[in-house]
Structure formats: C-alpha cells, structure tokens
Amino acid sequence: MAGFLKVLFRNLLQGPSTDPFPLVPETFTPDRLRGKVVINQDLCMGCGICSYVCVAGAINIEKREDGHTITVWHNSCCRCAACRQYCPMHAISLEPNWHSAHAEADKYKVIEQKTIAYEPCSVCGKMIRPVPEATLKKLYVHNDDVDLNHVRSLCPSCRQLEDARRSAGLPPAAEKKAVE
Amino acid sequence: MAFDDLLKKNSVRSPWLFRINAGSCNGCDVELATTALIPRYDVERLGCRYCGSPRHADIVLITGPLTTRIRDQVLRVWNEIPEPKVTVAVGICPISGGVFREGYSIDGPIDKYIPVDVNVPGCPPRPQAILEAVALGLKIWKQKLGLEA
C-alpha cells in the first residue's frame, strides 16, 4: 500500500520524463558523444592515414603543389572515430554536435573542408608543409639551442642535413645560401 | 472546396509515419522505434504515429542502403503511398550508401530511384536528430500541401 503511494508522490514531484526537445531548442547531450568530425588545420599534415582507415570512405585528401585540401562528407561518415584514433597529429576530433537533419538540396554541402597551404623550403625551395610548432617543440625538447623557426622552414632532407651539420659543429645551411 | 481545405488544415496536425526497411542493419530501425515508443522522445507529441499500411502514410522514413534484392519491393511500397508525401532518409546508408557503398549487392543511394526530401545522417542518428528530421519533414509537407510558403 505505502509502496505505490511513494511511487505516486515521487512521480508527481518529478514531473514528466519526456524531453521537450523539438518544441524547445535545447536538450541534453553527453560530453563525449561522437558527432560531426572537426579538423584542426594547424595540425593536419596530409599524411592520409585518416582516409585510409575511414570505413565509409568519407574522407578525401586532394594534394596539390601548393597545399592540400582535406574534406569529410558528413553524409557518409559513420562516426566510428577511427580517424581520430589513428591520426598521428591528433588533428581530427569529433565534436558532440548531432544536429544533422537537412533538406535534400544541402546533401553535398554538409562537409568539413580545410585547405592547408604549403611553404617553400628556405634552403632548396621545395614546397613543404611546415611542421607545427607544438610538434617541433616536442621533437627538439632536448636540443634547446636549436632555432625552431629556422628548422620549421626546412624540408625533411634539408632538416636532416642541418641536424648532421649541427652535430658536426658546422654553421647552418641558410647562412651559406645567404653568402652565395 | 471549403471542406477540402478544412481537411488539409486538420491533417497537418497528424502526419502518419511509415517505415520502409531497404536492407538496413536494424540499427536505425531501433532508433526509429525508440523515438516513438520511449516516453522520453515521444514522437507522438508532433501528432505522428506509425501506421501499418503505406496507403495511410504521409511521411515515409527509409532506412538501409537499398539492396538489389529488396529494391523492387521498396519501390512498389513507396509508390503506394499517396501524394503529397515526404520522404526522409534515415542514417547514412540511404543517403550515400555509407559503409556499404559500392558493395556488390547494393543498388543505392536511394535518391537514384526515389526523390528524397530530408536527410538525417548518423550511424544511427540520435532519436533527437530523427525528431528534428520529422519536424523538418512536417514543414516540407505543409509546403507541399500549399499551406505554408
């Protein structure tokens, strides 16, 4: 007898359990919900591991001489977060944005697209994607005498030479070029 | 004519939903059942309810990537739904083929055969996202009836 009265009073106090969502704009969203993919263009190196592991083939990377464009089509993305798992730069994340309903006219417009511009190597002039500063700081954490801005502007092979020169005690290559 | 308008005006308060499973993995169908059966998401607040016959339906929700085996049946059932109807593609499979795209048994995406009005991607979409899609479909249905610009 008292048991059901307790339930009755509790339900009266709590109110309806229906989420008033479509009638009011806000609703609850878990913090770690896997929603739309977001690309951090400061970190993306265009290595292509995301499009390789993408189950649904939603990611496309278009490489050009002066940069690369990475595109995620939300209408093909299955929110498995394999790209986030395998991205070596942690450039991909999934924000908890689940608002995905759209009209047919916008079908090919729901994309996440970022274009990353390349810069010429300061020694050989080859177009390269400069390494993000945060990554360089990690890479050269034990070499605090290195000028990171100079290293950042070098292509991988020139950087290798530069590192070899430094270990041999020779002057940096860029200075040599300035003399020529 | 006045009676016809009255009917139209009242019918928008109760759009009936019909589900077509075009070879879905059942994930989206579970979410569709969730939106209707669980009091938390209760799609019946919008006046919707699932009906058993395509001839009674106004908004049709299609799940699945349209397999070759079920294509003709899906088109037959879809053609039985009276005009004006709103087609909602639920999940990434009917929209783009999703993870099954370019498979040997897949004939999708569904807009190759059926004019889709609303897309709601997700694998599966959240019940709230489906509610949003139904609300959007309702708006499009009103436009098709000529009640809203």
Side-chain angles (χ1 to χ4, degrees), chain A residues 17-22 27-28 30 55-57 73-78 98-104 107, chain B residues 39-41 45 92 95-96 98-99 101 111 116-123 126 128-129 131-133 136:
Chain A
S17 66
T18 307
D19 178 31
F21 164 60
T27 179
F28 63 94
V55 191
W73 188 25
H74 294 312
N75 272 346
S76 194
C77 168
C78 67
W98 48 267
H99 294 276
S100 54
H102 58 272
E104 174 72 3
K107 184 178 174 183
Chain B
R40 183 170 228 169
Y41 305 116
R45 280 173 302 158
I92 56 170
I95 303 172
S96 66
V99 294
R101 188 167 61 225
D111 59 357
V116 177
D117 296 299
V118 180
N119 292 321
V120 48
C123 191
R126 286 192 94 199
Q128 283 101 325
L131 281 176
E132 226 175 25
L136 185 61

mmCIF file of all heavy atoms in Angstrom, chain A residues 17-22 27-28 30 55-57 73-78 98-104 107, chain B residues 39-41 45 92 95-96 98-99 101 111 116-123 126 128-129 131-133 136:
data_model
loop_
_atom_site.group_PDB
_atom_site.id
_atom_site.type_symbol
_atom_site.label_atom_id
_atom_site.label_comp_id
_atom_site.label_asym_id
_atom_site.label_seq_id
_atom_site.Cartn_x
_atom_site.Cartn_y
_atom_site.Cartn_z
ATOM 1 N N SER A 17 8.772 12.685 -17.698
ATOM 2 C CA SER A 17 10.135 12.313 -18.097
ATOM 3 C C SER A 17 10.380 12.613 -19.563
ATOM 4 O O SER A 17 11.478 12.409 -20.057
ATOM 5 C CB SER A 17 10.369 10.829 -17.835
ATOM 6 O OG SER A 17 9.531 10.078 -18.680
ATOM 7 N N THR A 18 9.374 13.112 -20.277
ATOM 8 C CA THR A 18 9.543 13.408 -21.702
ATOM 9 C C THR A 18 10.458 14.607 -21.886
ATOM 10 O O THR A 18 10.298 15.627 -21.221
ATOM 11 C CB THR A 18 8.178 13.692 -22.350
ATOM 12 O OG1 THR A 18 7.318 12.628 -22.056
ATOM 13 C CG2 THR A 18 8.312 13.850 -23.834
ATOM 14 N N ASP A 19 11.399 14.443 -22.796
ATOM 15 C CA ASP A 19 12.328 15.515 -23.117
ATOM 16 C C ASP A 19 11.610 16.491 -24.052
ATOM 17 O O ASP A 19 11.173 16.091 -25.125
ATOM 18 C CB ASP A 19 13.553 14.884 -23.796
ATOM 19 C CG ASP A 19 14.566 15.906 -24.210
ATOM 20 O OD1 ASP A 19 14.652 16.931 -23.518
ATOM 21 O OD2 ASP A 19 15.266 15.690 -25.208
ATOM 22 N N PRO A 20 11.455 17.746 -23.672
ATOM 23 C CA PRO A 20 10.635 18.656 -24.512
ATOM 24 C C PRO A 20 11.346 19.134 -25.766
ATOM 25 O O PRO A 20 11.056 20.219 -26.260
ATOM 26 C CB PRO A 20 10.342 19.808 -23.555
ATOM 27 C CG PRO A 20 11.487 19.827 -22.628
ATOM 28 C CD PRO A 20 11.962 18.414 -22.480
ATOM 29 N N PHE A 21 12.277 18.310 -26.321
ATOM 30 C CA PHE A 21 13.221 18.826 -27.316
ATOM 31 C C PHE A 21 12.660 19.514 -28.566
ATOM 32 O O PHE A 21 12.926 20.694 -28.742
ATOM 33 C CB PHE A 21 14.267 17.792 -27.715
ATOM 34 C CG PHE A 21 14.955 18.183 -28.981
ATOM 35 C CD1 PHE A 21 15.649 19.380 -29.041
ATOM 36 C CD2 PHE A 21 14.842 17.441 -30.135
ATOM 37 C CE1 PHE A 21 16.249 19.797 -30.202
ATOM 38 C CE2 PHE A 21 15.440 17.865 -31.296
ATOM 39 C CZ PHE A 21 16.141 19.039 -31.328
ATOM 40 N N PRO A 22 11.898 18.890 -29.436
ATOM 41 C CA PRO A 22 11.650 19.649 -30.681
ATOM 42 C C PRO A 22 10.820 20.908 -30.459
ATOM 43 O O PRO A 22 10.798 21.784 -31.312
ATOM 44 C CB PRO A 22 10.916 18.655 -31.592
ATOM 45 C CG PRO A 22 10.509 17.541 -30.740
ATOM 46 C CD PRO A 22 11.197 17.622 -29.437
ATOM 47 N N THR A 27 18.408 20.551 -25.501
ATOM 48 C CA THR A 27 18.211 19.213 -24.962
ATOM 49 C C THR A 27 19.525 18.759 -24.347
ATOM 50 O O THR A 27 20.520 19.474 -24.408
ATOM 51 C CB THR A 27 17.744 18.245 -26.061
ATOM 52 O OG1 THR A 27 17.590 16.956 -25.498
ATOM 53 C CG2 THR A 27 18.731 18.165 -27.195
ATOM 54 N N PHE A 28 19.526 17.574 -23.760
ATOM 55 C CA PHE A 28 20.764 17.098 -23.139
ATOM 56 C C PHE A 28 21.645 16.421 -24.185
ATOM 57 O O PHE A 28 21.149 15.777 -25.096
ATOM 58 C CB PHE A 28 20.456 16.138 -21.995
ATOM 59 C CG PHE A 28 19.763 14.887 -22.443
ATOM 60 C CD1 PHE A 28 20.489 13.736 -22.730
ATOM 61 C CD2 PHE A 28 18.389 14.863 -22.599
ATOM 62 C CE1 PHE A 28 19.850 12.587 -23.152
ATOM 63 C CE2 PHE A 28 17.749 13.725 -23.031
ATOM 64 C CZ PHE A 28 18.468 12.581 -23.305
ATOM 65 N N PRO A 30 25.396 14.163 -24.192
ATOM 66 C CA PRO A 30 26.563 13.682 -23.451
ATOM 67 C C PRO A 30 27.833 14.374 -23.933
ATOM 68 O O PRO A 30 27.963 14.698 -25.117
ATOM 69 C CB PRO A 30 26.604 12.185 -23.786
ATOM 70 C CG PRO A 30 25.257 11.852 -24.300
ATOM 71 C CD PRO A 30 24.711 13.080 -24.912
ATOM 72 N N VAL A 55 36.173 3.820 -42.663
ATOM 73 C CA VAL A 55 35.376 2.667 -43.072
ATOM 74 C C VAL A 55 34.420 3.037 -44.205
ATOM 75 O O VAL A 55 34.197 2.257 -45.129
ATOM 76 C CB VAL A 55 34.562 2.156 -41.868
ATOM 77 C CG1 VAL A 55 33.954 0.826 -42.173
ATOM 78 C CG2 VAL A 55 35.411 2.090 -40.632
ATOM 79 N N ALA A 56 33.848 4.223 -44.113
ATOM 80 C CA ALA A 56 32.802 4.609 -45.043
ATOM 81 C C ALA A 56 33.343 5.397 -46.231
ATOM 82 O O ALA A 56 32.569 5.821 -47.086
ATOM 83 C CB ALA A 56 31.754 5.438 -44.315
ATOM 84 N N GLY A 57 34.642 5.595 -46.303
ATOM 85 C CA GLY A 57 35.225 6.359 -47.410
ATOM 86 C C GLY A 57 34.735 7.793 -47.447
ATOM 87 O O GLY A 57 34.474 8.343 -48.508
ATOM 88 N N TRP A 73 32.890 14.220 -45.738
ATOM 89 C CA TRP A 73 31.475 14.339 -46.091
ATOM 90 C C TRP A 73 30.666 13.720 -44.959
ATOM 91 O O TRP A 73 30.704 12.513 -44.744
ATOM 92 C CB TRP A 73 31.203 13.613 -47.409
ATOM 93 C CG TRP A 73 29.843 13.823 -47.945
ATOM 94 C CD1 TRP A 73 29.012 14.877 -47.716
ATOM 95 C CD2 TRP A 73 29.124 12.936 -48.824
ATOM 96 N NE1 TRP A 73 27.850 14.715 -48.393
ATOM 97 C CE2 TRP A 73 27.879 13.557 -49.076
ATOM 98 C CE3 TRP A 73 29.416 11.720 -49.412
ATOM 99 C CZ2 TRP A 73 26.925 12.957 -49.887
ATOM 100 C CZ3 TRP A 73 28.471 11.139 -50.223
ATOM 101 C CH2 TRP A 73 27.236 11.754 -50.466
ATOM 102 N N HIS A 74 29.921 14.577 -44.239
ATOM 103 C CA HIS A 74 29.187 14.083 -43.066
ATOM 104 C C HIS A 74 28.113 13.068 -43.441
ATOM 105 O O HIS A 74 27.707 12.271 -42.613
ATOM 106 C CB HIS A 74 28.541 15.258 -42.319
ATOM 107 C CG HIS A 74 29.535 16.182 -41.708
ATOM 108 N ND1 HIS A 74 30.589 15.731 -40.957
ATOM 109 C CD2 HIS A 74 29.664 17.521 -41.754
ATOM 110 C CE1 HIS A 74 31.310 16.769 -40.564
ATOM 111 N NE2 HIS A 74 30.775 17.862 -41.039
ATOM 112 N N ASN A 75 27.635 13.123 -44.704
ATOM 113 C CA ASN A 75 26.588 12.191 -45.109
ATOM 114 C C ASN A 75 27.121 10.788 -45.369
ATOM 115 O O ASN A 75 26.353 9.891 -45.687
ATOM 116 C CB ASN A 75 25.878 12.710 -46.363
ATOM 117 C CG ASN A 75 24.729 13.610 -45.997
ATOM 118 O OD1 ASN A 75 24.309 13.642 -44.855
ATOM 119 N ND2 ASN A 75 24.234 14.352 -46.958
ATOM 120 N N SER A 76 28.428 10.606 -45.287
ATOM 121 C CA SER A 76 28.982 9.266 -45.444
ATOM 122 C C SER A 76 29.701 8.819 -44.181
ATOM 123 O O SER A 76 29.998 7.637 -44.028
ATOM 124 C CB SER A 76 29.933 9.243 -46.635
ATOM 125 O OG SER A 76 30.217 7.918 -47.004
ATOM 126 N N CYS A 77 29.968 9.756 -43.287
ATOM 127 C CA CYS A 77 30.724 9.463 -42.061
ATOM 128 C C CYS A 77 29.855 8.663 -41.102
ATOM 129 O O CYS A 77 28.722 9.035 -40.826
ATOM 130 C CB CYS A 77 31.136 10.779 -41.416
ATOM 131 S SG CYS A 77 31.764 10.618 -39.758
ATOM 132 N N CYS A 78 30.397 7.518 -40.607
ATOM 133 C CA CYS A 78 29.609 6.701 -39.685
ATOM 134 C C CYS A 78 30.007 6.941 -38.232
ATOM 135 O O CYS A 78 29.618 6.172 -37.360
ATOM 136 C CB CYS A 78 29.695 5.227 -40.044
ATOM 137 S SG CYS A 78 31.318 4.528 -39.803
ATOM 138 N N TRP A 98 25.185 16.771 -32.830
ATOM 139 C CA TRP A 98 24.415 15.734 -33.524
ATOM 140 C C TRP A 98 23.341 16.330 -34.416
ATOM 141 O O TRP A 98 22.567 15.585 -35.013
ATOM 142 C CB TRP A 98 23.776 14.792 -32.507
ATOM 143 C CG TRP A 98 23.070 15.526 -31.416
ATOM 144 C CD1 TRP A 98 23.588 15.882 -30.215
ATOM 145 C CD2 TRP A 98 21.743 16.038 -31.451
ATOM 146 N NE1 TRP A 98 22.670 16.580 -29.491
ATOM 147 C CE2 TRP A 98 21.529 16.695 -30.233
ATOM 148 C CE3 TRP A 98 20.702 16.017 -32.387
ATOM 149 C CZ2 TRP A 98 20.322 17.327 -29.918
ATOM 150 C CZ3 TRP A 98 19.523 16.651 -32.072
ATOM 151 C CH2 TRP A 98 19.343 17.287 -30.857
ATOM 152 N N HIS A 99 23.254 17.678 -34.522
ATOM 153 C CA HIS A 99 22.214 18.299 -35.349
ATOM 154 C C HIS A 99 22.533 18.022 -36.815
ATOM 155 O O HIS A 99 23.322 18.741 -37.422
ATOM 156 C CB HIS A 99 22.154 19.798 -35.105
ATOM 157 C CG HIS A 99 21.720 20.143 -33.722
ATOM 158 N ND1 HIS A 99 20.403 20.213 -33.359
ATOM 159 C CD2 HIS A 99 22.432 20.401 -32.613
ATOM 160 C CE1 HIS A 99 20.319 20.517 -32.082
ATOM 161 N NE2 HIS A 99 21.532 20.630 -31.601
ATOM 162 N N SER A 100 21.952 16.979 -37.375
ATOM 163 C CA SER A 100 22.376 16.577 -38.716
ATOM 164 C C SER A 100 21.259 16.605 -39.749
ATOM 165 O O SER A 100 21.522 16.403 -40.921
ATOM 166 C CB SER A 100 22.990 15.176 -38.650
ATOM 167 O OG SER A 100 22.089 14.289 -38.047
ATOM 168 N N ALA A 101 20.002 16.830 -39.327
ATOM 169 C CA ALA A 101 18.900 16.809 -40.291
ATOM 170 C C ALA A 101 19.001 18.001 -41.239
ATOM 171 O O ALA A 101 19.222 19.126 -40.810
ATOM 172 C CB ALA A 101 17.563 16.839 -39.562
ATOM 173 N N HIS A 102 18.886 17.725 -42.541
ATOM 174 C CA HIS A 102 18.948 18.802 -43.522
ATOM 175 C C HIS A 102 18.122 18.424 -44.742
ATOM 176 O O HIS A 102 17.833 17.251 -44.958
ATOM 177 C CB HIS A 102 20.396 19.095 -43.913
ATOM 178 C CG HIS A 102 21.109 17.908 -44.462
ATOM 179 N ND1 HIS A 102 21.779 17.016 -43.659
ATOM 180 C CD2 HIS A 102 21.220 17.436 -45.725
ATOM 181 C CE1 HIS A 102 22.275 16.063 -44.412
ATOM 182 N NE2 HIS A 102 21.960 16.280 -45.671
ATOM 183 N N ALA A 103 17.781 19.439 -45.532
ATOM 184 C CA ALA A 103 16.986 19.189 -46.733
ATOM 185 C C ALA A 103 17.875 18.583 -47.815
ATOM 186 O O ALA A 103 19.100 18.695 -47.769
ATOM 187 C CB ALA A 103 16.358 20.489 -47.213
ATOM 188 N N GLU A 104 17.234 17.948 -48.808
ATOM 189 C CA GLU A 104 17.970 17.257 -49.872
ATOM 190 C C GLU A 104 18.872 18.217 -50.651
ATOM 191 O O GLU A 104 19.924 17.818 -51.143
ATOM 192 C CB GLU A 104 16.953 16.581 -50.808
ATOM 193 C CG GLU A 104 17.527 15.941 -52.048
ATOM 194 C CD GLU A 104 18.304 14.656 -51.777
ATOM 195 O OE1 GLU A 104 18.352 14.226 -50.621
ATOM 196 O OE2 GLU A 104 18.851 14.106 -52.741
ATOM 197 N N LYS A 107 22.475 18.314 -49.561
ATOM 198 C CA LYS A 107 23.101 16.998 -49.376
ATOM 199 C C LYS A 107 24.615 17.037 -49.529
ATOM 200 O O LYS A 107 25.344 16.434 -48.742
ATOM 201 C CB LYS A 107 22.497 16.021 -50.390
ATOM 202 C CG LYS A 107 23.001 14.607 -50.224
ATOM 203 C CD LYS A 107 22.336 13.664 -51.205
ATOM 204 C CE LYS A 107 22.970 12.293 -51.123
ATOM 205 N NZ LYS A 107 22.425 11.354 -52.088
ATOM 206 N N PRO B 39 8.839 7.099 -23.724
ATOM 207 C CA PRO B 39 8.193 8.365 -23.372
ATOM 208 C C PRO B 39 9.152 9.551 -23.411
ATOM 209 O O PRO B 39 8.728 10.678 -23.591
ATOM 210 C CB PRO B 39 7.697 8.136 -21.945
ATOM 211 C CG PRO B 39 7.873 6.716 -21.655
ATOM 212 C CD PRO B 39 8.656 6.063 -22.714
ATOM 213 N N ARG B 40 10.441 9.286 -23.281
ATOM 214 C CA ARG B 40 11.403 10.383 -23.250
ATOM 215 C C ARG B 40 11.440 11.149 -24.571
ATOM 216 O O ARG B 40 11.580 12.361 -24.596
ATOM 217 C CB ARG B 40 12.785 9.818 -22.939
ATOM 218 C CG ARG B 40 13.826 10.871 -22.814
ATOM 219 C CD ARG B 40 15.094 10.299 -22.277
ATOM 220 N NE ARG B 40 15.601 11.118 -21.204
ATOM 221 C CZ ARG B 40 16.580 10.751 -20.405
ATOM 222 N NH1 ARG B 40 17.096 9.553 -20.506
ATOM 223 N NH2 ARG B 40 17.019 11.549 -19.488
ATOM 224 N N TYR B 41 11.309 10.452 -25.702
ATOM 225 C CA TYR B 41 11.439 11.113 -27.009
ATOM 226 C C TYR B 41 10.096 11.286 -27.719
ATOM 227 O O TYR B 41 9.988 12.115 -28.595
ATOM 228 C CB TYR B 41 12.406 10.339 -27.899
ATOM 229 C CG TYR B 41 13.735 10.132 -27.268
ATOM 230 C CD1 TYR B 41 14.201 8.865 -26.967
ATOM 231 C CD2 TYR B 41 14.516 11.220 -26.926
ATOM 232 C CE1 TYR B 41 15.424 8.685 -26.357
ATOM 233 C CE2 TYR B 41 15.733 11.050 -26.315
ATOM 234 C CZ TYR B 41 16.183 9.780 -26.030
ATOM 235 O OH TYR B 41 17.391 9.608 -25.421
ATOM 236 N N ARG B 45 3.990 13.508 -29.799
ATOM 237 C CA ARG B 45 3.673 14.891 -29.441
ATOM 238 C C ARG B 45 3.499 15.745 -30.687
ATOM 239 O O ARG B 45 2.813 16.761 -30.671
ATOM 240 C CB ARG B 45 4.804 15.492 -28.601
ATOM 241 C CG ARG B 45 4.746 15.091 -27.157
ATOM 242 C CD ARG B 45 5.965 15.575 -26.471
ATOM 243 N NE ARG B 45 7.160 15.034 -27.115
ATOM 244 C CZ ARG B 45 8.350 15.575 -27.030
ATOM 245 N NH1 ARG B 45 8.523 16.679 -26.353
ATOM 246 N NH2 ARG B 45 9.380 15.024 -27.641
ATOM 247 N N ILE B 92 23.124 7.047 -42.661
ATOM 248 C CA ILE B 92 23.990 7.357 -43.804
ATOM 249 C C ILE B 92 23.774 6.396 -44.971
ATOM 250 O O ILE B 92 24.085 6.730 -46.096
ATOM 251 C CB ILE B 92 25.479 7.375 -43.397
ATOM 252 C CG1 ILE B 92 25.884 6.049 -42.758
ATOM 253 C CG2 ILE B 92 25.792 8.529 -42.491
ATOM 254 C CD1 ILE B 92 27.364 5.895 -42.563
ATOM 255 N N ILE B 95 21.365 7.611 -47.689
ATOM 256 C CA ILE B 95 21.798 8.897 -48.234
ATOM 257 C C ILE B 95 22.957 8.696 -49.208
ATOM 258 O O ILE B 95 22.956 9.215 -50.325
ATOM 259 C CB ILE B 95 22.214 9.858 -47.098
ATOM 260 C CG1 ILE B 95 21.062 10.043 -46.116
ATOM 261 C CG2 ILE B 95 22.643 11.188 -47.664
ATOM 262 C CD1 ILE B 95 21.433 10.803 -44.879
ATOM 263 N N SER B 96 23.973 7.936 -48.777
ATOM 264 C CA SER B 96 25.178 7.825 -49.607
ATOM 265 C C SER B 96 25.624 6.383 -49.818
ATOM 266 O O SER B 96 26.565 6.139 -50.553
ATOM 267 C CB SER B 96 26.316 8.610 -48.952
ATOM 268 O OG SER B 96 26.664 7.992 -47.730
ATOM 269 N N GLY B 98 26.819 4.776 -47.302
ATOM 270 C CA GLY B 98 27.532 4.609 -46.045
ATOM 271 C C GLY B 98 28.661 3.597 -46.138
ATOM 272 O O GLY B 98 29.409 3.580 -47.114
ATOM 273 N N VAL B 99 28.753 2.737 -45.138
ATOM 274 C CA VAL B 99 29.846 1.761 -45.109
ATOM 275 C C VAL B 99 29.642 0.667 -46.144
ATOM 276 O O VAL B 99 30.556 -0.095 -46.427
ATOM 277 C CB VAL B 99 30.005 1.136 -43.713
ATOM 278 C CG1 VAL B 99 30.443 2.170 -42.719
ATOM 279 C CG2 VAL B 99 28.734 0.482 -43.252
ATOM 280 N N ARG B 101 28.712 1.260 -49.303
ATOM 281 C CA ARG B 101 28.771 1.844 -50.641
ATOM 282 C C ARG B 101 29.660 1.016 -51.565
ATOM 283 O O ARG B 101 30.705 0.524 -51.159
ATOM 284 C CB ARG B 101 29.287 3.286 -50.559
ATOM 285 C CG ARG B 101 29.181 4.017 -51.878
ATOM 286 C CD ARG B 101 29.397 5.494 -51.721
ATOM 287 N NE ARG B 101 30.714 5.795 -51.199
ATOM 288 C CZ ARG B 101 30.940 6.664 -50.255
ATOM 289 N NH1 ARG B 101 29.945 7.307 -49.698
ATOM 290 N NH2 ARG B 101 32.160 6.891 -49.836
ATOM 291 N N ASP B 111 18.389 8.015 -53.493
ATOM 292 C CA ASP B 111 17.858 9.092 -54.348
ATOM 293 C C ASP B 111 18.127 8.839 -55.833
ATOM 294 O O ASP B 111 17.795 9.669 -56.677
ATOM 295 C CB ASP B 111 18.361 10.471 -53.900
ATOM 296 C CG ASP B 111 19.865 10.583 -53.922
ATOM 297 O OD1 ASP B 111 20.516 9.572 -54.225
ATOM 298 O OD2 ASP B 111 20.374 11.676 -53.644
ATOM 299 N N VAL B 116 14.124 12.135 -52.531
ATOM 300 C CA VAL B 116 14.207 12.293 -51.076
ATOM 301 C C VAL B 116 14.013 13.771 -50.732
ATOM 302 O O VAL B 116 14.416 14.655 -51.491
ATOM 303 C CB VAL B 116 15.569 11.777 -50.569
ATOM 304 C CG1 VAL B 116 15.714 11.983 -49.078
ATOM 305 C CG2 VAL B 116 15.737 10.307 -50.901
ATOM 306 N N ASP B 117 13.362 14.043 -49.590
ATOM 307 C CA ASP B 117 13.157 15.429 -49.165
ATOM 308 C C ASP B 117 14.070 15.826 -48.017
ATOM 309 O O ASP B 117 14.591 16.933 -47.985
ATOM 310 C CB ASP B 117 11.701 15.633 -48.755
ATOM 311 C CG ASP B 117 10.755 15.429 -49.919
ATOM 312 O OD1 ASP B 117 10.891 16.182 -50.894
ATOM 313 O OD2 ASP B 117 9.918 14.524 -49.860
ATOM 314 N N VAL B 118 14.210 14.920 -47.041
ATOM 315 C CA VAL B 118 15.013 15.250 -45.863
ATOM 316 C C VAL B 118 16.046 14.149 -45.645
ATOM 317 O O VAL B 118 15.741 12.967 -45.786
ATOM 318 C CB VAL B 118 14.118 15.392 -44.607
ATOM 319 C CG1 VAL B 118 14.959 15.723 -43.391
ATOM 320 C CG2 VAL B 118 13.055 16.438 -44.802
ATOM 321 N N ASN B 119 17.268 14.539 -45.313
ATOM 322 C CA ASN B 119 18.309 13.584 -44.956
ATOM 323 C C ASN B 119 18.649 13.757 -43.490
ATOM 324 O O ASN B 119 18.731 14.882 -43.001
ATOM 325 C CB ASN B 119 19.580 13.848 -45.773
ATOM 326 C CG ASN B 119 19.382 13.537 -47.231
ATOM 327 O OD1 ASN B 119 18.731 12.576 -47.583
ATOM 328 N ND2 ASN B 119 19.946 14.375 -48.088
ATOM 329 N N VAL B 120 18.848 12.647 -42.795
ATOM 330 C CA VAL B 120 19.346 12.747 -41.422
ATOM 331 C C VAL B 120 20.469 11.724 -41.245
ATOM 332 O O VAL B 120 20.224 10.562 -40.974
ATOM 333 C CB VAL B 120 18.213 12.648 -40.368
ATOM 334 C CG1 VAL B 120 17.280 11.503 -40.616
ATOM 335 C CG2 VAL B 120 18.775 12.562 -38.967
ATOM 336 N N PRO B 121 21.732 12.161 -41.481
ATOM 337 C CA PRO B 121 22.854 11.228 -41.373
ATOM 338 C C PRO B 121 23.158 10.852 -39.934
ATOM 339 O O PRO B 121 22.800 11.553 -38.993
ATOM 340 C CB PRO B 121 24.012 12.006 -41.995
ATOM 341 C CG PRO B 121 23.660 13.419 -41.825
ATOM 342 C CD PRO B 121 22.178 13.502 -41.889
ATOM 343 N N GLY B 122 23.847 9.744 -39.790
ATOM 344 C CA GLY B 122 24.204 9.214 -38.477
ATOM 345 C C GLY B 122 24.235 7.714 -38.615
ATOM 346 O O GLY B 122 23.693 7.175 -39.562
ATOM 347 N N CYS B 123 24.910 7.052 -37.681
ATOM 348 C CA CYS B 123 25.022 5.599 -37.834
ATOM 349 C C CYS B 123 24.866 4.922 -36.490
ATOM 350 O O CYS B 123 25.824 4.391 -35.973
ATOM 351 C CB CYS B 123 26.358 5.244 -38.481
ATOM 352 S SG CYS B 123 26.469 3.522 -38.987
ATOM 353 N N ARG B 126 20.819 10.058 -33.631
ATOM 354 C CA ARG B 126 20.205 10.102 -32.298
ATOM 355 C C ARG B 126 18.703 10.242 -32.435
ATOM 356 O O ARG B 126 18.214 10.796 -33.418
ATOM 357 C CB ARG B 126 20.697 11.336 -31.531
ATOM 358 C CG ARG B 126 22.080 11.259 -31.034
ATOM 359 C CD ARG B 126 22.308 12.385 -30.065
ATOM 360 N NE ARG B 126 22.060 11.946 -28.703
ATOM 361 C CZ ARG B 126 21.829 12.759 -27.680
ATOM 362 N NH1 ARG B 126 21.753 14.044 -27.859
ATOM 363 N NH2 ARG B 126 21.661 12.276 -26.479
ATOM 364 N N GLN B 128 16.884 12.336 -31.002
ATOM 365 C CA GLN B 128 16.590 13.767 -31.132
ATOM 366 C C GLN B 128 16.809 14.237 -32.563
ATOM 367 O O GLN B 128 16.069 15.086 -33.060
ATOM 368 C CB GLN B 128 17.491 14.590 -30.199
ATOM 369 C CG GLN B 128 17.073 14.550 -28.764
ATOM 370 C CD GLN B 128 17.931 13.595 -27.960
ATOM 371 O OE1 GLN B 128 18.345 12.563 -28.479
ATOM 372 N NE2 GLN B 128 18.194 13.912 -26.719
ATOM 373 N N ALA B 129 17.833 13.699 -33.223
ATOM 374 C CA ALA B 129 18.090 14.076 -34.618
ATOM 375 C C ALA B 129 16.953 13.609 -35.511
ATOM 376 O O ALA B 129 16.549 14.312 -36.450
ATOM 377 C CB ALA B 129 19.414 13.481 -35.090
ATOM 378 N N LEU B 131 13.859 13.230 -34.494
ATOM 379 C CA LEU B 131 12.756 14.147 -34.196
ATOM 380 C C LEU B 131 12.905 15.435 -34.994
ATOM 381 O O LEU B 131 11.930 15.961 -35.545
ATOM 382 C CB LEU B 131 12.743 14.480 -32.704
ATOM 383 C CG LEU B 131 12.153 13.442 -31.766
ATOM 384 C CD1 LEU B 131 12.323 13.902 -30.333
ATOM 385 C CD2 LEU B 131 10.683 13.237 -32.058
ATOM 386 N N GLU B 132 14.145 15.925 -35.065
ATOM 387 C CA GLU B 132 14.426 17.143 -35.828
ATOM 388 C C GLU B 132 14.059 16.932 -37.301
ATOM 389 O O GLU B 132 13.471 17.811 -37.935
ATOM 390 C CB GLU B 132 15.911 17.467 -35.710
ATOM 391 C CG GLU B 132 16.202 18.907 -35.422
ATOM 392 C CD GLU B 132 17.678 19.134 -35.207
ATOM 393 O OE1 GLU B 132 18.503 18.360 -35.719
ATOM 394 O OE2 GLU B 132 18.002 20.111 -34.521
ATOM 395 N N ALA B 133 14.419 15.756 -37.824
ATOM 396 C CA ALA B 133 14.138 15.450 -39.226
ATOM 397 C C ALA B 133 12.636 15.360 -39.466
ATOM 398 O O ALA B 133 12.142 15.836 -40.493
ATOM 399 C CB ALA B 133 14.802 14.140 -39.627
ATOM 400 N N LEU B 136 11.304 18.811 -39.579
ATOM 401 C CA LEU B 136 11.649 19.432 -40.868
ATOM 402 C C LEU B 136 10.764 18.866 -41.982
ATOM 403 O O LEU B 136 10.297 19.608 -42.858
ATOM 404 C CB LEU B 136 13.133 19.185 -41.164
ATOM 405 C CG LEU B 136 13.741 19.841 -42.394
ATOM 406 C CD1 LEU B 136 13.642 21.344 -42.287
ATOM 407 C CD2 LEU B 136 15.199 19.431 -42.548
#
